[in-house]
Amino acid sequence: MDAGELKSRVIGEIENYRDELKELSLRIHRNPEIAFQEEKAATWLTDYLKKKGFSIEKGICGLATAFRAGYGKGKPVIALLAEYDALPKLGHACGHNIIATSAVGAGIAAKLAVDEFGGTVQVLGTPGEEMYGGKVYMVRKGAFKDVDAVMMVHPAGLNTAATKFLACQTLEVEFFGKPAHAAARPEVGINALEAMLMSYAAINSLRQHIKDTARIHGIITDGGEAANIVPAHTAGHFIVRAAEDSYLDELKERVLNCFMGAATATGAKLKYKWGEARYAPLRNNFTLARMFRKNLQSLGRRVHLVDPRIGIGSSDIGNVSRVVPSIHPLIAIASARAVTHSPQFAETAASEAGMRGLIDAAKALAMTVVDLVAEPAMLVKAKKELEQDKESG
């Protein structure tokens, strides 16, 4: 059987499971679970894959809600990544219910390619993408050491084969002051909230003088106990992003100086901690991206090769892309004006447009698996591209 005929069969296979995939996606959407607490979603996904003939390993890499589902044996090993964590209070406003089920649907259909040409297809459950970087730990623990290519698809407001993701790292900050009666004896207090507000002001000033591709943002998580008490403690959570690792290092130092300066000015004691999971910028593999683009276009969608925007955020797939040829395409489920991490996008992720995106994403992923197992030279080319990218920095 040639690749073209096999692609027609994998499309038909996904159509056979369309209703089941939609039901699974909507069930995950109705039951949002935040990072590293995705117990229901992980169970539903692995149960479904097991019924479809996949072997299942749960709790891989020391992460309770991570999993590896495999079918076939030997090389090449193609991994389809599933994300299924939700956002606090917003639910699936990043559409991870679609990411998870498109990977599952593609994996099931790709069994046909493995049966015909050999190799292994994996669906890797990668929890905690939002903020905590599950894939960062999975890379460190060797989850990708035997994998030859990695793919996943994210819902968005446009179709692209390659995406621009920024390097990023979180920063937890606390200021410790001295409480006092805010009216009777303010002179004996040390205002920790004032230190945090000064830090915010300094960061706002810093934003005028950083690269267009860099981002600094954060929230105050503790602002004091009562208006008539000089705040003795404040805390905040911040994120620093940049297009290059080297510039992220520079920017981290400049951001930290904002907090250190406020501590000196107010007399408050500063305590800080950089996040353990540092997200790397995404290294797009254009050998894979061009194959995926052609397949998605064949389904009737207009597809950009590269996201035309400056940069839409960060993801821990950036760390994966440093060790394995990887792509993170986008599938349009809304207009180009759509804003992720919003209540409106959460609604869209459960809409009929969202379900169409799920099915098309699964089809394009499965078709690209066919390309990779049917044409080993393309995988060699993808790996060579990654090595050249490493050499060029």
Side-chain angles (χ1 to χ4, degrees):
M1 188 186 308
D2 64 21
E5 183 180 352
L6 191 53
K7 286 183 181 182
S8 296
R9 287 190 62 195
V10 301
I11 288 173
E13 190 77 347
I14 290 168
E15 284 296 330
N16 290 339
Y17 296 116
R18 173 187 284 266
D19 290 342
E20 293 180 6
L21 293 169
K22 288 170 61 176
E23 190 281 328
L24 179 58
S25 182
L26 293 173
R27 195 189 327 161
I28 292 170
H29 188 278
R30 289 192 301 268
N31 296 272
E33 299 166 296
I34 61 173
F36 294 146
Q37 298 180 29
E38 316 95 324
E39 295 178 4
K40 292 178 182 177
T43 298
W44 293 333
L45 293 165
T46 52
D47 285 351
Y48 187 70
L49 286 161
K50 187 175 181 179
K51 289 178 183 177
K52 301 304 181 185
F54 281 75
S55 62
I56 305 295
E57 298 175 69
K58 296 184 179 181
I60 64 172
C61 302
L63 301 175
T65 52
F67 65 84
R68 180 187 289 109
Y71 180 86
K73 61 180 179 180
K75 292 284 193 173
V77 178
I78 312 301
L80 306 170
L81 304 191
E83 296 174 357
Y84 33 92
D85 59 321
L87 290 160
K89 298 185 179 181
L90 286 175
H92 280 288
C94 206
H96 288 193
N97 59 303
I98 292 172
I99 296 175
T101 44
S102 63
V104 167
I108 293 168
K111 289 168 55 183
L112 297 172
V114 169
D115 289 341
E116 182 71 22
F117 293 106
T120 305
V121 61
Q122 293 182 352
V123 178
L124 283 179
T126 62
E129 187 274 338
E130 300 288 358
M131 300 303 301
Y132 295 111
K135 296 181 197 64
V136 178
Y137 299 104
M138 293 176 75
V139 169
R140 291 175 186 171
K141 293 285 188 177
F144 300 93
K145 63 182 178 65
D146 296 320
V147 173
D148 296 296
V150 162
M151 298 184 288
M152 63 176 288
V153 179
H154 198 298
L158 72 171
N159 301 299
T160 76
T163 311
K164 300 172 186 176
F165 277 147
L166 307 175
C168 85
Q169 196 162 5
T170 60
L171 175 63
E172 300 289 343
V173 175
E174 292 180 275
F175 284 108
F176 297 88
K178 181 180 178 182
H181 195 293
R185 296 293 304 277
E187 72 277 8
V188 301
I190 296 176
N191 196 321
L193 178 58
E194 197 65 48
M196 186 67 75
L197 295 176
M198 290 178 67
S199 301
Y200 246 93
I203 288 171
N204 283 335
S205 296
L206 175 61
R207 286 194 183 104
Q208 301 177 58
H209 307 289
I210 64 177
K211 293 181 179 181
D212 289 343
T213 52
R215 299 286 187 272
I216 311 166
H217 37 101
I219 59 171
I220 296 175
T221 56
D222 179 13
E225 298 296 332
N228 61 350
I229 303 172
V230 173
H233 177 263
T234 54
H237 179 82
F238 293 80
I239 305 174
V240 185
R241 306 182 196 253
E244 309 89 14
D245 277 317
S246 58
Y247 192 60
L248 180 60
D249 289 334
E250 177 185 332
L251 199 54
K252 283 172 57 180
E253 183 177 350
R254 295 172 71 183
V255 167
L256 192 55
N257 284 340
C258 294
F259 294 98
M260 295 175 69
T264 300
T266 61
K269 180 182 177 182
L270 170 65
K271 181 180 179 181
Y272 68 91
K273 181 181 180 182
W274 290 103
E276 293 181 8
R278 172 168 165 156
Y279 291 25
L282 178 62
R283 180 174 279 158
N284 288 291
N285 190 280
F286 286 98
T287 302
L288 299 181
R290 288 186 178 91
M291 285 188 285
F292 180 89
R293 183 192 192 196
K294 183 178 179 180
N295 289 322
L296 188 56
Q297 285 175 326
S298 75
L299 301 175
R301 288 180 178 255
R302 181 175 176 270
V303 186
H304 298 275
L305 177 60
V306 181
D307 190 335
R309 296 168 293 182
I310 290 175
I312 62 169
S314 307
S315 175
D316 50 6
I317 195 175
N319 301 67
V320 180
S321 73
R322 299 294 157 137
V323 296
V324 184
S326 304
I327 54 170
H328 185 290
L330 304 180
I331 191 87
I333 66 169
S335 74
R337 297 186 300 275
V339 178
T340 57
H341 292 206
S342 69
Q344 294 75 23
F345 200 83
E347 292 178 8
T348 304
S351 69
E352 193 54 42
M355 296 303 99
R356 288 195 299 270
L358 151 63
I359 298 302
D360 281 355
K363 290 175 180 178
L365 285 171
M367 293 164 73
T368 309
V369 175
V370 172
D371 289 329
L372 291 171
V373 297
E375 301 180 63
M378 297 307 294
L379 199 52
V380 172
K381 184 179 179 182
K383 290 182 176 182
K384 184 177 180 180
E385 180 184 332
L386 176 59
E387 292 307 311
Q388 290 173 340
D389 286 346
K390 288 179 180 179
E391 291 173 4
S392 64

